[in-house]
Amino acid sequence: MDETTTPRQRMPRFPHGFAWGAATAAFQIEGSTTVDGRGPSIWDTFTAQPGRVVDGSDATTSADSYRRWRDDIALLRDLGVDDYRFSIAWPRIQPGGTGPANGAGLDHYSRFVDALGEAGIEPLVTLYHWDLPQALEDEGGWLARDTAQRFADYATLVVDGLGDRVTRWITLNEPAMTSLQGYALGELAPGRTLMLDALPTVHHQLLGHGLALAAIRAARPDAVVGITNNHTLVEPASAEASDLVAAGAFDAIYNRIFAEPVLLGRYPDLSALGLERFPGLEDGDLELIGAPIDFYGVNFYNPTRVAAPSPGSPFAQAGLPFEPVEYQGAPVTGFGWPVVPEALTRLLVGLRESYGDALPPVVITENGASYPDEVVDGRVADASRIAYLDGHVRAVHAAIEAGVDVRGYEVWSLIDNFEWADGYTQRFGLVHLDLETGERTRKDSFAWYRELIAGQRG
Ligand code: IFM
């Protein structure tokens, strides 16, 4: 250990049973996109369109984890994690989005789960991390109510195949990003620019969560099921009334329309957006969506400062009552995201204050930072990532001390991977990926995290 990998201060002790892990997603790491009968997803379509991905790259190889999964498990074992959060690719299980399970695809994950078990690592499985089968997008994607039922059918196939060895399931990853960036702004697949007309995709995803939750519970009463939402701590840009109103509207559309139906069984008041009833909502839906879950997954990266839209800005032109503004006074990651660890404590305490006993135990299902890492003489000295992770882990501890029931923490990500529309320009891994050779090099943050986990056990 040298000075960059030695924690500056001793990490406080987390509660007994707190689970330490690392996270990935199928499309971002697997490659082998045409192997074993996998069908095309919206991300294959999107990456093939010129100009969609900043470096023109695609995910046909990435970390090659579909073939090199044993290497990934060796890394996880070395890291000493309790669990591994990974996702199942829907187009490997149902290449056309409907019908019986594709045996070859299911067998792959079955082998993988067995090997994790042999390594003493518990799977935490995300059923949907953005790779919708293209055939379903052709039928309307998440704009179509039927996609919710298709998702529940797919979830049932997976749980029937793996539920004897997998206990913990996450239905959806970050439905906010799918709706806001995928269908409203066009920054992620499927690249639609529907603005507020994208709102039915919010409801149909949440309905998919509710239907899948019921299906999983019916198939495996012992299953432990949650959802993962991406949360940001929203701060008004000033104390002006207009900025306070703007921050409230942004909080509603980014955080609360995804949290409240799940936790409280109702949508927040969206009259600031001119909405009296949520688009797509039908009688009985909220009972399904708001059915009790076993844990609530929180992905957190950074806070967001929000102002009233300046006249003529794209936000004003789109009729949106808010505009995110630069977050001054904090260091930034490679993505330019502000690094403010205490914002995570405030966010978690705020969730507890807002939702009280309706908030089940929380798992931090993603947290991490991208930096432009390089291998120099066989080493990646990523002191900035260590500082980011160290600060955020302490922030989780502070939230627990303040009374929030947090049960686990997953670093995003185990290994550098395909960062969606940013291609390979943003490296989030504890492990460096050589994009030419596929070679994996443990970064200093890997050693730091390994020591943290070992220290919590000792
Ligand atoms: O890489 C993504 C992940 O797929 C979803 N959450 C945010 C990460 C970093 O942008």
Side-chain angles (χ1 to χ4, degrees), residues 13-375:
R13 185 160 285 275
F14 279 67
H16 181 72
F18 189 90
W20 300 96
T24 60
F27 190 76
Q28 293 180 272
I29 63 164
E30 284 182 349
S32 298
T33 48
T34 57
V35 171
D36 284 347
R38 178 187 179 279
S41 78
I42 54 173
W43 272 96
D44 300 278
T45 307
F46 190 79
T47 54
Q49 293 166 353
R52 291 296 202 180
V53 179
V54 290
D55 58 1
S57 64
D58 61 37
T60 49
T61 303
S62 190
D64 204 10
S65 291
Y66 193 77
R67 295 190 312 134
R68 296 187 60 164
W69 55 270
R70 291 179 189 80
D71 296 348
D72 293 351
I73 291 181
L75 289 169
L76 291 162
R77 204 176 195 151
D78 186 13
L79 200 51
V81 290
D82 298 300
D83 59 17
Y84 178 44
R85 178 182 175 222
F86 65 97
S87 80
I88 307 267
W90 186 348
R92 293 197 191 279
I93 306 301
Q94 290 180 304
T98 58
N102 167 33
L106 202 50
D107 283 352
H108 166 79
Y109 294 110
S110 188
R111 281 191 294 274
F112 186 70
V113 163
D114 282 345
L116 277 178
E118 282 159 23
I121 299 165
E122 200 201 340
L124 173 55
V125 174
T126 311
L127 286 160
Y128 182 68
H129 199 125
W130 302 359
D131 44 1
L132 187 73
Q134 180 61 43
L136 293 184
E137 182 59 32
D138 295 342
E139 302 293 320
W142 289 110
L143 289 164
R145 185 176 171 90
D146 191 49
T147 300
Q149 186 57 54
R150 300 282 75 78
F151 175 63
D153 293 349
Y154 150 71
T156 304
L157 293 177
V158 176
V159 172
D160 282 348
L162 305 179
D164 54 339
R165 288 151 293 156
V166 174
T167 305
R168 291 195 301 157
W169 302 93
I170 294 168
T171 53
L172 306 176
N173 179 72
E174 299 182 2
M177 276 42 261
T178 294
S179 292
L180 303 180
Q181 290 183 281
Y183 285 90
L185 300 173
E187 297 165 352
L188 301 177
R192 307 288 303 273
T193 49
L194 300 171
M195 302 308 288
L196 288 178
D197 289 340
L199 283 173
T201 68
V202 174
H203 185 65
H204 295 150
Q205 288 186 87
L206 294 178
L207 182 60
H209 157 79
L211 289 166
L213 175 64
I216 296 168
R217 292 227 192 282
R220 303 286 319 186
D222 57 336
V224 173
V225 191
I227 187 173
T228 280
N229 277 326
N230 185 312
H231 279 282
T232 187
L233 182 81
V234 180
E235 297 178 3
S238 78
E240 295 285 327
S242 58
D243 288 343
L244 294 175
V245 169
F250 186 85
D251 189 39
I253 206 156
Y254 193 104
N255 293 314
R256 291 170 47 217
I257 60 171
F258 298 94
E260 295 190 7
V262 170
L263 298 176
L264 303 179
R266 62 168 189 256
Y267 281 104
D269 175 18
L270 293 176
S271 49
L273 295 171
L275 294 174
E276 294 310 322
R277 186 179 168 87
F278 206 88
L281 176 62
E282 295 186 9
D283 288 349
D285 291 354
L286 285 168
E287 283 72 31
L288 283 164
I289 295 170
I293 48 175
D294 302 301
F295 64 93
Y296 186 68
V298 170
N299 288 359
F300 179 84
Y301 289 88
N302 55 271
T304 306
R305 229 163 245 168
V306 176
S310 44
S313 73
F315 287 85
Q317 283 173 17
L320 296 173
F322 50 72
E323 180 175 353
V325 294
E326 191 184 340
Y327 197 106
Q328 286 165 344
V332 293
T333 69
F335 241 142
W337 297 349
V339 180
V340 189
E342 61 273 21
L344 176 54
T345 310
R346 287 171 55 206
L347 179 100
L348 292 169
V349 169
L351 287 174
R352 171 76 196 156
E353 285 171 359
S354 298
Y355 303 122
D357 291 342
L359 181 70
V362 169
V363 176
I364 307 299
T365 40
E366 284 181 29
N367 177 241
S370 65
Y371 290 102
D373 306 312
E374 282 177 20
V375 183

